[in-house]
Amino acid sequence: MGNITVELGGRSYPIIIRDGMLPSIGPRMHRLGLRGRAAVVTNALVGGLYGKTVMGSLKDAGFDAVRITLPDGEEYKNVEAVGMVYDGLVAHRMERTSPVVALGGGVIGDIAGFAAATYLRGTPYIQVPTTLLAQVDSSVGGKTGVNHPMGKNLIGAFHQPRAVFTDPAVLKTLDERQLRAGAAEVIKYGVILDEALFAFMEANAGRIFASVSPLSMAIERSCRIKAGVVSVDEREGGLRAILNFGHTFGHAIENIAGYGALVHGEAVAIGMCMAAELSVSLGLCAPDAARRIRSLAAALGLPVHPPDIAPGAFMAALRMDKKVSSGVIRFILPTSIGKVVIREVDERDIKLAIRKSLRDSAR
Ligand code: NAD
Ligand code: GLY
């Protein structure tokens, strides 16, 4: 498996994907020039499985390391959890050069990254993603933050990690629902930029979770795509917005269904199907492309229809999306597999698409 670099001049960093690399994290951090105190942010589940290995590796490499354990779950991705991290960092007298290590899925990565972005106006941090979703997406690109009761990821900062250390071996303990959720983001990369990756997922849908090799290939390919996009547009001035394909509807669904009812990747899968249908209804995309997206999501065991949500509540949640500009909602819409456009869409067309998805869902 190869190394990938997010190219950001002096802030460039490697994504290293290697089976069984967890015990080498301490020496790798040392080689990056990091020293002294360190804090590993995790939760009880992931910490119980891998905390000892990572803490041991840091201590062996000379770090004075402390563990900060947060409650597990999207419902705890909030400012209170960030406060818990600050408390741990202050208690351990972490300095401006002391590294924070995010050991966990996207929730831990986003919280720990945000704490690192803001503690002492910014400290270095390392991503050690342990879910498929975090390995293919959230650990890369420096978006950090937490939810607000009114909307997902409304509070946050861009803060790039110093490195991403990805060990696919940890996915062996991840439950199948979470693996499937991670695969939703791989479908996303296929739809937005890589038809061959999409076709690879179609061809391997039946065995992708049973074997390390196709999964590792999907992780590497996804990271390469994301690294390429972030290297061109770090702060989402343009191109990076395409990484939000499926997320506009998806975030609204997560927000209404309640964080945790649907996991993030499931909401994104539904959101991608809805965005593809919206694109078809606007005449931007052939129905067959939308069918392929829905079929692949279903073949990977992902939901493809929204839960029963009142259309008015759906629209209200969509208006809270971060991409709303001057009251206009923007969508990432596929024009074919491998190509998307960014479009402002009239509320009337969005409402029609929501009603159609809800009708299809009730069938
Ligand atoms: P998660 O972090 O909640 O992890 C899912 C579950 O798996 C948790 O219960 C966790 O404890 C458990 N887990 C993690 N690793 C495990 C392992 N190896 N073995 C057993 N159990 C393990 O969920 P997620 O899907 O990883 O992340 C979702 C979050 O990521 C959302 O909040 C989303 O907004 C965010 N996200 C951020 C970005 C970004 O660019 N920052 C991109 C995509 C998603
Ligand atoms: N997941 C969207 C992004 O990183 O930009």
Side-chain angles (χ1 to χ4, degrees):
M1 278 174 257
N3 292 355
I4 300 164
T5 305
V6 179
E7 302 282 359
L8 293 169
R11 290 176 300 117
S12 296
Y13 59 93
I15 303 165
I16 297 171
I17 305 166
R18 208 146 292 160
D19 224 38
M21 76 177 298
L22 221 51
S24 67
I25 281 169
R28 286 177 189 277
M29 283 173 54
H30 195 267
R31 283 205 289 279
L32 288 172
L34 298 166
R35 303 280 186 274
R37 298 195 174 97
V40 176
V41 180
T42 188
N43 63 37
L45 174 56
V46 181
L49 290 164
Y50 304 110
K52 206 169 156 202
T53 305
V54 171
M55 293 294 288
S57 167
L58 288 173
K59 282 178 183 155
D60 290 349
F63 289 95
D64 172 9
V66 71
R67 191 192 301 200
I68 300 172
T69 304
L70 300 179
D72 185 6
E74 182 75 35
E75 60 274 36
Y76 298 106
K77 193 176 120 173
N78 53 31
V79 288
E80 284 77 28
V82 180
M84 289 173 70
V85 180
Y86 293 147
D87 290 347
L89 300 181
V90 172
H92 194 47
R93 290 183 291 114
M94 293 274 287
E95 297 170 357
R96 206 171 248 173
T97 53
S98 309
V100 171
V101 179
L103 173 67
V107 167
I108 288 291
D110 281 8
I111 299 169
F114 184 62
T118 45
Y119 177 71
L120 301 180
R121 298 201 181 87
T123 55
Y125 78 113
I126 302 288
Q127 288 276 13
V128 184
T130 62
T131 61
L132 180 59
L133 184 135
Q135 295 193 346
V136 299
D137 193 343
S138 63
S139 62
V140 176
K143 276 191 184 175
T144 72
V146 293
N147 303 325
H148 182 276
M150 288 300 288
K152 212 172 137 56
N153 296 336
L154 291 187
I155 299 151
F158 285 98
H159 185 50
Q160 300 295 337
R162 291 288 302 274
V164 181
F165 296 136
T166 293
D167 184 348
V170 302
L171 299 180
K172 287 192 189 97
T173 54
L174 191 64
D175 72 42
E176 201 171 301
R177 183 177 179 193
Q178 297 294 347
L179 277 174
R180 294 183 187 288
E185 302 281 6
V186 182
I187 299 178
K188 173 186 84 178
Y189 291 117
V191 176
I192 62 173
L193 279 172
D194 192 343
E195 188 181 6
L197 175 60
F198 190 93
F200 174 84
M201 294 298 282
E202 286 179 317
N204 288 281
R207 64 179 195 112
I208 188 95
F209 304 121
S211 153
V212 173
S213 153
L215 205 52
S216 296
M217 139 78 193
I219 295 168
E220 183 173 347
R221 191 87 165 232
S222 300
C223 286
R224 268 190 207 287
I225 295 171
K226 184 153 186 186
V229 170
V230 172
S231 299
V232 170
D233 176 22
E234 181 187 6
R235 288 182 171 244
E236 206 166 302
L239 178 71
R240 185 168 177 165
I242 68 173
L243 296 175
N244 295 317
F245 169 55
H247 288 59
T248 311
F249 283 125
H251 283 169
I253 292 168
E254 265 189 288
N255 207 10
I256 300 166
Y259 299 131
L262 280 168
V263 301
H264 177 71
E266 292 170 342
V268 168
I270 299 168
M272 289 191 293
C273 295
M274 290 182 73
E277 287 299 340
L278 176 61
S279 193
V280 172
S281 72
L282 294 172
L284 295 170
C285 172
D288 190 56
R291 183 200 56 74
R292 278 178 75 191
I293 295 169
R294 204 172 42 251
S295 300
L296 178 54
L300 290 166
L302 288 159
V304 296
H305 295 300
D308 191 17
I309 294 171
F314 215 132
M315 277 309 302
L318 283 175
R319 288 191 201 103
M320 285 309 294
D321 190 84
K322 289 188 300 305
K323 293 180 294 305
V324 171
S325 169
S326 309
V328 180
I329 305 175
R330 286 191 305 151
F331 282 88
I332 317 306
L333 299 172
T335 53
S336 63
I337 303 296
K339 285 203 179 69
V340 285
V341 290
I342 304 173
R343 279 279 190 287
E344 293 179 353
V345 181
D346 200 86
E347 284 212 3
R348 201 180 37 126
D349 293 317
I350 304 171
K351 281 181 194 152
L352 285 174
I354 291 173
R355 290 217 168 83
K356 180 174 183 310
S357 296
L358 290 169
R359 271 199 313 278
D360 291 346
S361 174
R363 269 194 202 133

